Amino acid sequence: MKKNILTLLDLTAEDFEAFFERAIELKKRFKNGIRDKSLAGKTLGLIFDKPSIRTRVSFEAAMAQLGGTPIFIGAEAPRMARNEPVRDIARVLSNYLDGLAIRTYSQDLLDEFAEFTSIPVINALTDLYHPCQVISDIMTVIEHKGRYKDINIVWVGDGNNVSHSWINAAAVLGLNLNLACPEGYSPDRQILENALGKGVGKIVVTSDPVEAVKDADVIYTDTWASMGQERELSSRRHVFEPFQINKALLKNAPDDVIVMHCLPAHRGNEISEEVLEGPRSVVWDQSENKLHMHKAILDILLNPKT
Ligand code: CP
Ligand code: NVA
């Protein structure tokens, strides 16, 4: 049966472990000059309806490096261009491709593609979630901290799509996740309640960044205004200012804390230049690991065992 990644709740802890293991192995082999071709003859379509550097290029490079072919479809295919129903496009693309990575606004649109395709559909970011980002970010946490359990992962900033995927990861993997968000910018209540309802992990939402980072092993931040919210940035700036990851905030955190950001970063807003470029920052490792994790995801989803 095909496997989709629409949200991280589509995955079990065993699925996550398989991705981590495969990505770490593929990264090691790639760095040793071994060029695996496990996706030879396969094609991945990419429908991207929002801008992307990292996700698009790392999925395309992952596909090409494993011997497969990425086909960038852009945003013309979704019904916007010719008003064609998604279910029609989805069925047509199923006959041409082995997998589909989609970045769009609406999670419902993604779900509709998944319902009407017979090939795996991968969420490459929606307004609600960014699941593949968080899978590869946990790989980076493993590399730097040796584990993802029994450590304190602290989200500081907007309760956005990336934070929602962290919440889902916490509910599947049993993470300790503390989210410090300004009042009125907490994560979606339904997503949070659903995750809390699983009774796995420890998920706490507060509005005090200083208190939140005290025992942090990992501090994670993201833009104050996500794609589609750009016009809100000027009104948000004032509310979000105390949530900037800067040297003063880091003074409240343990010395060995790592700082993460999915990028693109806005220096002087959610993170200072000094911290982004400083010794605690692992953002370049994060962006590199997207390549290796996307290889693992494609290798596993596009080469199903049964
Ligand atoms: N982190 C991330 O998804 O970056 P892009 O928007 O450039 O793909
Ligand atoms: N929250 C950001 C993530 C970008 C990778 C956005 O949706 O714009």
Side-chain angles (χ1 to χ4, degrees):
M1 211 183 88
K2 73 157 176 163
K3 192 164 190 67
N4 301 312
I5 305 181
L6 308 178
T7 89
L8 290 180
L9 297 181
D10 290 329
L11 304 180
T12 61
E14 291 70 34
D15 292 327
F16 272 96
E17 285 298 337
F19 289 140
F20 299 145
E21 201 182 310
R22 186 73 57 92
I24 289 165
E25 176 69 12
L26 284 169
K27 180 175 179 179
K28 198 163 89 189
R29 289 168 69 82
F30 188 70
K31 290 202 178 265
N32 285 333
I34 302 164
R35 297 292 177 258
D36 292 292
K37 298 291 171 205
S38 55
L39 292 176
K42 307 259 180 186
T43 50
L44 175 76
L46 296 104
I47 294 177
F48 274 53
D49 191 14
K50 286 182 176 183
S52 172
I53 292 287
R54 282 146 287 267
T55 308
R56 173 186 169 177
V57 178
S58 57
F59 264 119
E60 290 201 35
M63 201 62 200
Q65 288 176 14
L66 289 180
T69 305
I71 300 179
F72 188 73
I73 306 168
E76 301 91 58
R79 59 203 155 155
M80 304 63 115
R82 290 189 296 182
N83 214 23
E84 188 172 5
V86 165
R87 61 184 182 281
D88 293 3
I89 299 168
R91 282 175 291 183
V92 169
L93 290 179
S94 292
N95 294 324
Y96 303 157
L97 303 168
D98 298 285
L100 200 48
I102 302 179
R103 170 170 287 199
T104 190
Y105 293 85
S106 152
Q107 186 77 17
D108 290 344
L109 184 83
L110 183 81
D111 291 344
E112 203 178 340
F113 264 106
E115 188 183 343
F116 288 97
T117 48
S118 55
I119 53 175
V121 173
I122 299 168
N123 183 346
L125 183 146
T126 61
D127 287 350
L128 277 190
Y129 300 110
H130 198 1
C132 297
Q133 179 70 46
V134 171
I135 307 174
S136 67
D137 288 339
I138 299 173
M139 173 184 172
T140 307
V141 171
I142 295 169
E143 287 179 343
H144 284 271
K145 292 288 171 187
R147 63 198 194 283
Y148 54 80
K149 272 198 172 174
D150 304 319
I151 59 170
N152 295 318
I153 298 168
V154 179
W155 175 275
V156 179
D158 189 23
N160 65 12
N161 46 5
V162 181
S163 83
H164 293 158
S165 285
W166 272 106
I167 289 169
N168 284 347
V172 177
L173 293 175
L175 306 179
N176 291 337
L177 178 66
N178 191 339
L179 302 107
C181 311
E183 307 267 0
Y185 295 94
S186 294
D188 179 86
R189 183 135 42 129
Q190 215 179 321
I191 291 171
L192 190 62
E193 279 174 8
N194 187 33
L196 289 171
K198 299 200 179 299
V200 180
K202 204 169 133 235
I203 308 169
V204 179
V205 180
T206 68
S207 54
D208 183 348
V210 173
E211 189 60 32
V213 301
K214 268 190 182 145
D215 297 315
D217 295 288
V218 176
I219 296 175
Y220 198 118
T221 194
D222 184 15
T223 182
W224 288 343
S226 288
M227 287 178 276
Q229 301 171 329
E230 291 83 356
R231 268 186 289 174
E232 292 177 36
L233 183 59
S234 53
S235 59
R236 286 180 174 222
R237 205 171 258 131
H238 173 68
V239 183
F240 278 84
E241 224 160 65
F243 292 77
Q244 185 187 76
I245 310 300
N246 53 31
K247 213 170 150 194
L249 185 67
L250 286 196
K251 281 210 176 102
N252 302 287
D255 287 342
D256 62 350
V257 71
I258 57 169
V259 173
M260 302 182 77
H261 190 312
C262 57
L263 305 180
H266 306 87
R267 292 163 168 84
N269 281 357
E270 73 271 6
I271 191 162
S272 67
E273 167 84 20
E274 198 176 19
V275 171
L276 186 79
E277 300 290 358
R280 307 266 49 97
S281 166
V282 299
V283 301
W284 313 115
D285 295 343
Q286 275 180 268
S287 60
E288 180 190 347
N289 281 338
K290 282 173 74 84
L291 171 70
H292 305 295
M293 184 51 77
H294 290 167
K295 280 186 182 170
I297 289 170
L298 294 170
D299 194 22
I300 290 174
L301 264 55
L302 272 50
N303 283 317
K305 286 212 182 82
T306 49

